[in-house]
Amino acid sequence: MISVGIIGAGRIGRVHVQSITTRIPEAKVRMLADPYMNEATRDWALSLGVQRVTKDYHEVLDDPEIEAVLICSSTDTHAQISIEAILAGKHVFCEKPVDQDAEKILEVMDVLKRHPVAYQVGFNRRFDHNFRAVRRAVEEGRIGEPQIIRICSRDPEPPKPEYVKVSGGMFLDMTIHDFDMARFLAGCDATEVYASGACLIDPAIGEAGDIDTAVVTLTMENGARCVIDNSRQAVYGYDQRAEVFGSKGMVSSENDRPSTVSVSTASGVTGDVPLHFFLERYMDAYAEEVRSFLTSVEEGKEPAPGIEDGLKAVQMALAAKVSLREHRPVRMTELFQ
Amino acid sequence: MISVGIIGAGRIGRVHVQSITTRIPEAKVRMLADPYMNEATRDWALSLGVQRVTKDYHEVLDDPEIEAVLICSSTDTHAQISIEAILAGKHVFCEKPVDQDAEKILEVMDVLKRHPVAYQVGFNRRFDHNFRAVRRAVEEGRIGEPQIIRICSRDPEPPKPEYVKVSGGMFLDMTIHDFDMARFLAGCDATEVYASGACLIDPAIGEAGDIDTAVVTLTMENGARCVIDNSRQAVYGYDQRAEVFGSKGMVSSENDRPSTVSVSTASGVTGDVPLHFFLERYMDAYAEEVRSFLTSVEEGKEPAPGIEDGLKAVQMALAAKVSLREHRPVRMTELFQ
Amino acid sequence: MISVGIIGAGRIGRVHVQSITTRIPEAKVRMLADPYMNEATRDWALSLGVQRVTKDYHEVLDDPEIEAVLICSSTDTHAQISIEAILAGKHVFCEKPVDQDAEKILEVMDVLKRHPVAYQVGFNRRFDHNFRAVRRAVEEGRIGEPQIIRICSRDPEPPKPEYVKVSGGMFLDMTIHDFDMARFLAGCDATEVYASGACLIDPAIGEAGDIDTAVVTLTMENGARCVIDNSRQAVYGYDQRAEVFGSKGMVSSENDRPSTVSVSTASGVTGDVPLHFFLERYMDAYAEEVRSFLTSVEEGKEPAPGIEDGLKAVQMALAAKVSLREHRPVRMTELFQ
Amino acid sequence: MISVGIIGAGRIGRVHVQSITTRIPEAKVRMLADPYMNEATRDWALSLGVQRVTKDYHEVLDDPEIEAVLICSSTDTHAQISIEAILAGKHVFCEKPVDQDAEKILEVMDVLKRHPVAYQVGFNRRFDHNFRAVRRAVEEGRIGEPQIIRICSRDPEPPKPEYVKVSGGMFLDMTIHDFDMARFLAGCDATEVYASGACLIDPAIGEAGDIDTAVVTLTMENGARCVIDNSRQAVYGYDQRAEVFGSKGMVSSENDRPSTVSVSTASGVTGDVPLHFFLERYMDAYAEEVRSFLTSVEEGKEPAPGIEDGLKAVQMALAAKVSLREHRPVRMTELFQ
């Protein structure tokens, strides 16, 4: 039985509270911290078996019983809290992105090198049953050497413009999952990024300085090309598919749907739309990633995806931003060595 | 927060322990009773949050804090324990079949009439996401009046011959779920049963006096025909599909699979086989049925499927046995009024 | 280049005229005979390259250049014309059923024995790409020994009541294809038939003494059970599927559709309904069966399905009629030895 | 009945001979011309009903009975023969590309403007049942305004290196179909092209100065992004899919397969690979495009896709070549006004 502390009681923090308390009997949530902690959140947390709540995350870091912390606070605090947690000797699970600034992630890595703890980044999609099966097929060599990778990642509804402004932009906020997926599926890094995008859905997103539709082409180290397409608004639901084409075949995944049922009438054969959004689609994956993190902690193993994976995805997003701005392909080595 | 007692710590009893303790935070398992209770089971139960274990189910019935009991003991004890539980004022969730003998179920019904409590029967498949969606399409009139119903229900592996001997035979043990499903999907009763079957898989099953392959045709009250096909051994996994064809269209469900992934190579396009067996396929449905039962208890509503549903399915199974033995269609009114 | 004569210019006769003239360059239609031959039909036929038309089929039989005849006239004339054609030394392709009366088919068989020519019966579905692939999987042993066979065969629209009266009833008119399919897929004969049916769609069909909805259970020689379900009206189109379940696996086919396209919107994911009816679904199969017949003729081989297949399917249909009337399973040996 | 002449008896010329003689009864092939005409080809052509063969295509142009010609000769002769045919007053169906040089196509357009005849370009995929249905959904507004278009086009086997050398390169030889498809599906032109590609399959293709794997991103006039991915070698067969994502939904197509059959065994559920290559996949489309051309001729309508479509696709291919060479996105207006 491992005691964890969770820092941040926003949407994703609550997801982890719920999945640990109801689905991971080997762990208990000893403390939940949030500067905006209120009664409703406290009651909800305690009813699920969380032992204590606080407004000050330092209490989490100071609690000697807590072995591991999940950092689910706002992105701009991830790096700082990561460093404090590492220095406090806690194992760290940090939501993505570690920071919008690659330099800050390097600082965390630096601290981590000197004070090694288990450090995992919240790329939950690696733990999804479908993407995991795609990766497994690649790893087992069933499709040979990857040559073309297609990642489709579309949200059902666009974020609020206020959120867009602080999000770091679509590439850092949304595509970052796909950048990680590209590396995960290909089994190697990207060497070049070309981003094309526009604001086609909500003018307010454009006014906030961002795009809502994008197509990104990556060149991978092994020569494979990867194409990511993103939209902030797929009216039929969360569209999350991947396909890896290689020298010996192709592996592809489809969306998960609420049921396998279809209705045939004179006007067509109709089935369910995909599961609505990430809470529906990835609830199992959220539990799986935490379970995997806790297993790494218990067995003293290096967790994956680690901070380097966190760094790489951010660097790809930053390269995509340069590519979009300068309207040209950008080599990773131009920006980062 | 409702306190339940679980009687029987066999496979299905353990399923309910686990789904209540890990997925139904509104209930707690106050006691788990089993005449063969041992240390391993006790430790497992306590680790999940069960408060007490006992060998004597009377302790469950005597505990005033326990509002509801789940009867998961061997089939031959269901009726007796049901009656005792009803008389003790407990709400009852009873695994299927209530009894292999329709008369005994009538006795329980009789007690129930005089001492009304909530009484639900464990036809878990009614709570499966797929079958529920099939039923919903029928109910909403999307396919018009049902005319042909097809139910495919095949297990991945045959039971042990010793089990076959006490099982009451394939119709009471396995097809009983499908008899209930036929009524559930059609929204009405069967008036006639014709059963055809053979032992094609395991001669030991034949030696135990049973069959392992069956096709049952039902005539439903509204005139629709329903066909159930059963096999004790589908090597590709648990095959659980249904289709309702009607005057305005058809609704059908497919199996659930571990992933949506397919691999295309020179030799074909290959996807996953269905989820292996009932624990994989119906884990959510087991939680759903208990949740539904507890909601009925809390809201003072009649639970469904109720004991009459339990009776009807057993009567259909008994009619099927007569049909198979006498090699002729059997009207329900011949055997039961 | 083989010269054929076609007797009967009704719907199916015209199908064969068209498929031979446009898709089978190795054959030419030397004559088309129909007692109701009119100008429109003649013009249509000549425009497709038919060399002559006539009202009298004897001209076809008397033409020494014609090697093979396709009998597409009304069912009650099949046997008589078959005998005359055989005696005239023509190879015969006869539409199904050879006759509604098994005795008459035996007479044709008798003549055939004494005057052997190639004789094929028009069970076109054996030449459908899907059913052929199902059969191939069975033959290759990929699913082991067949245990359960499911055949779904539903028309998009019911026939006119006038037609129903002369059709011989649903089993001889419609299910006959499925009886043949059962033997084709199982690779053996049926030993017993149990038919259940009702008039649920069009009361006029009932008044004409027929049913429009049926479920037929067959026991096959190898012990397998086969279930056929039929409807005269599937509003979503021609529903033609088959599934063979066996000791090592299952093979199943889906319907053909006009396109593979699906549209995802907020209200569902919608694809095409099946191809509308037999002309759309089986046009290739009609050409394939004639091609196969002509190849048998040219190579001097026994064609398949032959007259014995024609007989067996009719006998099964007759047994189904008895079963329905007497409301009991009927062994084939009760009626036929 | 319209008389056509076919110039070129190579692979695609023979496809048209066959589809007209066996599937288009309203047309006859009066002459087939090929400089390498030999006895085998002549016998084959005459057996199909072609009336004459010749080595000199001028005989086709000089024959006053021939109303329309299909130009199926080598690409470098398309423009010259087009001009001669137009001047001879023939309606022209010209295989793609009209020429590898956009200037030459402009010359043909110039002649055409002064001597108007029906002129259609052989973009057969516009007539495929699947892509046509995708387009129809877009046209009908079912998916709203297109925002992301994905075109997957992969051949089952790479061409010979000798062919690669004269092919004009992958973009002009293979992707040209996809450039046309992008315009067809989006309903507007591309304004910018970015091409990324590599030689990952056959080094001999690289030595011949070409690539075998490509990802091309297009910006369309309406702001939509289109991604094309190409491979010269999909070991599982001809992969031809398209998807249009828009403001109200998505429409997508899957591959055609030889059958709908799947086999479920302990090791997976396996279905057919896609139809092997263009002859299998597009045979109906080849007949449809010629039928459409002949209908335009008969009804005096402008055929589509016309020469401007032929020009645009070539210009996109040329822009892609520049993009690949200069490693940057290329605006169409940089190269063409």
Side-chain angles (χ1 to χ4, degrees), chain D residues 181-211:
Chain D
M181 185 56 62
R183 293 180 64 248
F184 177 60
L185 295 181
C188 65
D189 281 329
T191 58
E192 191 178 285
V193 178
Y194 176 73
S196 175
C199 181
L200 302 177
I201 295 161
D202 184 354
I205 290 175
E207 282 154 27
D210 204 1
I211 55 175

mmCIF file of all heavy atoms in Angstrom, chain D residues 181-211:
data_model
loop_
_atom_site.group_PDB
_atom_site.id
_atom_site.type_symbol
_atom_site.label_atom_id
_atom_site.label_comp_id
_atom_site.label_asym_id
_atom_site.label_seq_id
_atom_site.Cartn_x
_atom_site.Cartn_y
_atom_site.Cartn_z
ATOM 1 N N MET D 181 -8.105 14.191 -56.994
ATOM 2 C CA MET D 181 -9.084 13.793 -55.976
ATOM 3 C C MET D 181 -9.265 14.898 -54.939
ATOM 4 O O MET D 181 -10.380 15.177 -54.482
ATOM 5 C CB MET D 181 -8.603 12.497 -55.304
ATOM 6 C CG MET D 181 -9.560 11.877 -54.308
ATOM 7 S SD MET D 181 -11.211 11.503 -54.958
ATOM 8 C CE MET D 181 -10.829 10.319 -56.224
ATOM 9 N N ALA D 182 -8.165 15.552 -54.555
ATOM 10 C CA ALA D 182 -8.242 16.643 -53.579
ATOM 11 C C ALA D 182 -9.166 17.745 -54.096
ATOM 12 O O ALA D 182 -10.041 18.240 -53.373
ATOM 13 C CB ALA D 182 -6.848 17.201 -53.294
ATOM 14 N N ARG D 183 -8.994 18.127 -55.342
ATOM 15 C CA ARG D 183 -9.842 19.174 -55.936
ATOM 16 C C ARG D 183 -11.278 18.694 -56.050
ATOM 17 O O ARG D 183 -12.223 19.446 -55.807
ATOM 18 C CB ARG D 183 -9.304 19.570 -57.312
ATOM 19 C CG ARG D 183 -7.939 20.280 -57.257
ATOM 20 C CD ARG D 183 -7.467 20.642 -58.660
ATOM 21 N NE ARG D 183 -8.362 21.599 -59.287
ATOM 22 C CZ ARG D 183 -9.151 21.328 -60.338
ATOM 23 N NH1 ARG D 183 -9.146 20.131 -60.889
ATOM 24 N NH2 ARG D 183 -9.946 22.260 -60.826
ATOM 25 N N PHE D 184 -11.432 17.435 -56.434
ATOM 26 C CA PHE D 184 -12.766 16.850 -56.607
ATOM 27 C C PHE D 184 -13.522 16.841 -55.279
ATOM 28 O O PHE D 184 -14.686 17.245 -55.199
ATOM 29 C CB PHE D 184 -12.601 15.436 -57.154
ATOM 30 C CG PHE D 184 -13.871 14.648 -57.334
ATOM 31 C CD1 PHE D 184 -14.879 15.086 -58.184
ATOM 32 C CD2 PHE D 184 -14.052 13.429 -56.678
ATOM 33 C CE1 PHE D 184 -16.037 14.332 -58.374
ATOM 34 C CE2 PHE D 184 -15.204 12.670 -56.861
ATOM 35 C CZ PHE D 184 -16.207 13.136 -57.704
ATOM 36 N N LEU D 185 -12.846 16.390 -54.234
ATOM 37 C CA LEU D 185 -13.524 16.260 -52.942
ATOM 38 C C LEU D 185 -13.760 17.617 -52.286
ATOM 39 O O LEU D 185 -14.812 17.868 -51.700
ATOM 40 C CB LEU D 185 -12.729 15.343 -52.003
ATOM 41 C CG LEU D 185 -12.617 13.884 -52.455
ATOM 42 C CD1 LEU D 185 -11.832 13.076 -51.426
ATOM 43 C CD2 LEU D 185 -13.993 13.261 -52.682
ATOM 44 N N ALA D 186 -12.766 18.498 -52.386
ATOM 45 C CA ALA D 186 -12.903 19.810 -51.738
ATOM 46 C C ALA D 186 -13.850 20.713 -52.520
ATOM 47 O O ALA D 186 -14.471 21.612 -51.961
ATOM 48 C CB ALA D 186 -11.540 20.485 -51.604
ATOM 49 N N GLY D 187 -13.936 20.475 -53.831
ATOM 50 C CA GLY D 187 -14.756 21.356 -54.653
ATOM 51 C C GLY D 187 -14.089 22.697 -54.908
ATOM 52 O O GLY D 187 -14.750 23.679 -55.229
ATOM 53 N N CYS D 188 -12.759 22.751 -54.728
ATOM 54 C CA CYS D 188 -12.035 23.988 -55.033
ATOM 55 C C CYS D 188 -10.569 23.666 -55.296
ATOM 56 O O CYS D 188 -10.131 22.532 -55.131
ATOM 57 C CB CYS D 188 -12.177 24.997 -53.894
ATOM 58 S SG CYS D 188 -11.430 24.479 -52.334
ATOM 59 N N ASP D 189 -9.816 24.685 -55.690
ATOM 60 C CA ASP D 189 -8.412 24.493 -56.050
ATOM 61 C C ASP D 189 -7.483 24.534 -54.837
ATOM 62 O O ASP D 189 -7.870 24.984 -53.764
ATOM 63 C CB ASP D 189 -7.979 25.613 -57.013
ATOM 64 C CG ASP D 189 -8.449 25.330 -58.426
ATOM 65 O OD1 ASP D 189 -8.555 24.143 -58.791
ATOM 66 O OD2 ASP D 189 -8.730 26.300 -59.156
ATOM 67 N N ALA D 190 -6.265 24.075 -55.074
ATOM 68 C CA ALA D 190 -5.217 24.213 -54.058
ATOM 69 C C ALA D 190 -4.487 25.518 -54.283
ATOM 70 O O ALA D 190 -4.305 25.944 -55.423
ATOM 71 C CB ALA D 190 -4.236 23.051 -54.165
ATOM 72 N N THR D 191 -4.078 26.154 -53.194
ATOM 73 C CA THR D 191 -3.308 27.390 -53.337
ATOM 74 C C THR D 191 -1.841 27.184 -52.982
ATOM 75 O O THR D 191 -0.994 27.974 -53.358
ATOM 76 C CB THR D 191 -3.875 28.489 -52.410
ATOM 77 O OG1 THR D 191 -3.839 27.995 -51.067
ATOM 78 C CG2 THR D 191 -5.313 28.811 -52.783
ATOM 79 N N GLU D 192 -1.556 26.094 -52.269
ATOM 80 C CA GLU D 192 -0.172 25.870 -51.842
ATOM 81 C C GLU D 192 0.084 24.378 -51.688
ATOM 82 O O GLU D 192 -0.826 23.623 -51.330
ATOM 83 C CB GLU D 192 0.057 26.574 -50.501
ATOM 84 C CG GLU D 192 1.520 26.631 -50.099
ATOM 85 C CD GLU D 192 1.713 27.379 -48.793
ATOM 86 O OE1 GLU D 192 1.614 28.611 -48.798
ATOM 87 O OE2 GLU D 192 1.928 26.705 -47.765
ATOM 88 N N VAL D 193 1.324 24.005 -51.953
ATOM 89 C CA VAL D 193 1.701 22.592 -51.885
ATOM 90 C C VAL D 193 2.976 22.459 -51.058
ATOM 91 O O VAL D 193 3.937 23.208 -51.268
ATOM 92 C CB VAL D 193 1.968 22.032 -53.306
ATOM 93 C CG1 VAL D 193 2.405 20.574 -53.246
ATOM 94 C CG2 VAL D 193 0.748 22.197 -54.195
ATOM 95 N N TYR D 194 2.968 21.510 -50.130
ATOM 96 C CA TYR D 194 4.210 21.168 -49.439
ATOM 97 C C TYR D 194 4.396 19.663 -49.530
ATOM 98 O O TYR D 194 3.521 18.892 -49.126
ATOM 99 C CB TYR D 194 4.173 21.591 -47.964
ATOM 100 C CG TYR D 194 5.413 21.141 -47.238
ATOM 101 C CD1 TYR D 194 6.637 21.769 -47.465
ATOM 102 C CD2 TYR D 194 5.372 20.058 -46.362
ATOM 103 C CE1 TYR D 194 7.790 21.336 -46.829
ATOM 104 C CE2 TYR D 194 6.523 19.619 -45.717
ATOM 105 C CZ TYR D 194 7.727 20.257 -45.953
ATOM 106 O OH TYR D 194 8.871 19.821 -45.337
ATOM 107 N N ALA D 195 5.533 19.252 -50.087
ATOM 108 C CA ALA D 195 5.773 17.837 -50.307
ATOM 109 C C ALA D 195 6.965 17.353 -49.506
ATOM 110 O O ALA D 195 8.012 17.997 -49.468
ATOM 111 C CB ALA D 195 6.009 17.572 -51.790
ATOM 112 N N SER D 196 6.784 16.224 -48.883
ATOM 113 C CA SER D 196 7.860 15.583 -48.126
ATOM 114 C C SER D 196 7.919 14.145 -48.607
ATOM 115 O O SER D 196 6.891 13.495 -48.764
ATOM 116 C CB SER D 196 7.493 15.646 -46.638
ATOM 117 O OG SER D 196 8.431 14.952 -45.864
ATOM 118 N N GLY D 197 9.106 13.652 -48.883
ATOM 119 C CA GLY D 197 9.164 12.295 -49.402
ATOM 120 C C GLY D 197 10.537 11.705 -49.283
ATOM 121 O O GLY D 197 11.515 12.400 -48.981
ATOM 122 N N ALA D 198 10.618 10.408 -49.501
ATOM 123 C CA ALA D 198 11.895 9.713 -49.369
ATOM 124 C C ALA D 198 11.823 8.408 -50.134
ATOM 125 O O ALA D 198 10.755 7.960 -50.543
ATOM 126 C CB ALA D 198 12.181 9.430 -47.899
ATOM 127 N N CYS D 199 12.978 7.831 -50.312
ATOM 128 C CA CYS D 199 13.046 6.522 -50.930
ATOM 129 C C CYS D 199 13.294 5.502 -49.827
ATOM 130 O O CYS D 199 14.408 5.369 -49.331
ATOM 131 C CB CYS D 199 14.178 6.492 -51.964
ATOM 132 S SG CYS D 199 14.299 4.907 -52.778
ATOM 133 N N LEU D 200 12.242 4.837 -49.399
ATOM 134 C CA LEU D 200 12.334 3.909 -48.265
ATOM 135 C C LEU D 200 12.124 2.455 -48.677
ATOM 136 O O LEU D 200 12.323 1.545 -47.880
ATOM 137 C CB LEU D 200 11.278 4.265 -47.205
ATOM 138 C CG LEU D 200 11.310 5.679 -46.617
ATOM 139 C CD1 LEU D 200 10.157 5.871 -45.634
ATOM 140 C CD2 LEU D 200 12.644 5.943 -45.906
ATOM 141 N N ILE D 201 11.700 2.218 -49.903
ATOM 142 C CA ILE D 201 11.312 0.867 -50.298
ATOM 143 C C ILE D 201 12.346 0.210 -51.199
ATOM 144 O O ILE D 201 12.883 -0.841 -50.895
ATOM 145 C CB ILE D 201 9.937 0.906 -51.018
ATOM 146 C CG1 ILE D 201 8.861 1.357 -50.032
ATOM 147 C CG2 ILE D 201 9.595 -0.454 -51.607
ATOM 148 C CD1 ILE D 201 7.596 1.854 -50.675
ATOM 149 N N ASP D 202 12.623 0.871 -52.328
ATOM 150 C CA ASP D 202 13.511 0.249 -53.310
ATOM 151 C C ASP D 202 14.618 1.228 -53.679
ATOM 152 O O ASP D 202 14.375 2.225 -54.358
ATOM 153 C CB ASP D 202 12.699 -0.127 -54.552
ATOM 154 C CG ASP D 202 13.545 -0.877 -55.571
ATOM 155 O OD1 ASP D 202 14.769 -1.008 -55.363
ATOM 156 O OD2 ASP D 202 12.970 -1.328 -56.576
ATOM 157 N N PRO D 203 15.869 0.942 -53.285
ATOM 158 C CA PRO D 203 16.976 1.860 -53.584
ATOM 159 C C PRO D 203 17.103 2.152 -55.076
ATOM 160 O O PRO D 203 17.533 3.238 -55.467
ATOM 161 C CB PRO D 203 18.215 1.105 -53.069
ATOM 162 C CG PRO D 203 17.694 0.116 -52.084
ATOM 163 C CD PRO D 203 16.305 -0.232 -52.517
ATOM 164 N N ALA D 204 16.686 1.190 -55.919
ATOM 165 C CA ALA D 204 16.783 1.407 -57.364
ATOM 166 C C ALA D 204 15.900 2.576 -57.794
ATOM 167 O O ALA D 204 16.214 3.275 -58.757
ATOM 168 C CB ALA D 204 16.375 0.135 -58.112
ATOM 169 N N ILE D 205 14.819 2.795 -57.103
ATOM 170 C CA ILE D 205 13.960 3.933 -57.405
ATOM 171 C C ILE D 205 14.690 5.232 -57.067
ATOM 172 O O ILE D 205 14.654 6.206 -57.817
ATOM 173 C CB ILE D 205 12.617 3.822 -56.631
ATOM 174 C CG1 ILE D 205 11.779 2.672 -57.211
ATOM 175 C CG2 ILE D 205 11.847 5.137 -56.668
ATOM 176 C CD1 ILE D 205 10.489 2.377 -56.473
ATOM 177 N N GLY D 206 15.392 5.206 -55.947
ATOM 178 C CA GLY D 206 16.194 6.365 -55.577
ATOM 179 C C GLY D 206 17.288 6.628 -56.609
ATOM 180 O O GLY D 206 17.532 7.772 -56.994
ATOM 181 N N GLU D 207 17.926 5.564 -57.058
ATOM 182 C CA GLU D 207 18.981 5.729 -58.069
ATOM 183 C C GLU D 207 18.411 6.274 -59.374
ATOM 184 O O GLU D 207 19.104 6.973 -60.108
ATOM 185 C CB GLU D 207 19.680 4.390 -58.311
ATOM 186 C CG GLU D 207 20.673 4.058 -57.195
ATOM 187 C CD GLU D 207 20.904 2.557 -57.044
ATOM 188 O OE1 GLU D 207 20.737 1.849 -58.059
ATOM 189 O OE2 GLU D 207 21.237 2.113 -55.920
ATOM 190 N N ALA D 208 17.147 5.971 -59.638
ATOM 191 C CA ALA D 208 16.498 6.506 -60.835
ATOM 192 C C ALA D 208 16.025 7.931 -60.600
ATOM 193 O O ALA D 208 15.326 8.511 -61.438
ATOM 194 C CB ALA D 208 15.325 5.615 -61.229
ATOM 195 N N GLY D 209 16.386 8.486 -59.428
ATOM 196 C CA GLY D 209 16.079 9.902 -59.181
ATOM 197 C C GLY D 209 14.698 10.162 -58.629
ATOM 198 O O GLY D 209 14.206 11.290 -58.644
ATOM 199 N N ASP D 210 14.063 9.135 -58.112
ATOM 200 C CA ASP D 210 12.694 9.330 -57.636
ATOM 201 C C ASP D 210 12.561 8.910 -56.169
ATOM 202 O O ASP D 210 13.510 8.403 -55.557
ATOM 203 C CB ASP D 210 11.730 8.515 -58.512
ATOM 204 C CG ASP D 210 10.301 9.081 -58.506
ATOM 205 O OD1 ASP D 210 10.068 10.106 -57.847
ATOM 206 O OD2 ASP D 210 9.447 8.486 -59.178
ATOM 207 N N ILE D 211 11.380 9.154 -55.630
ATOM 208 C CA ILE D 211 11.052 8.717 -54.279
ATOM 209 C C ILE D 211 9.965 7.648 -54.369
ATOM 210 O O ILE D 211 9.343 7.463 -55.419
ATOM 211 C CB ILE D 211 10.532 9.894 -53.416
ATOM 212 C CG1 ILE D 211 9.336 10.572 -54.120
ATOM 213 C CG2 ILE D 211 11.649 10.886 -53.162
ATOM 214 C CD1 ILE D 211 8.680 11.662 -53.313
#
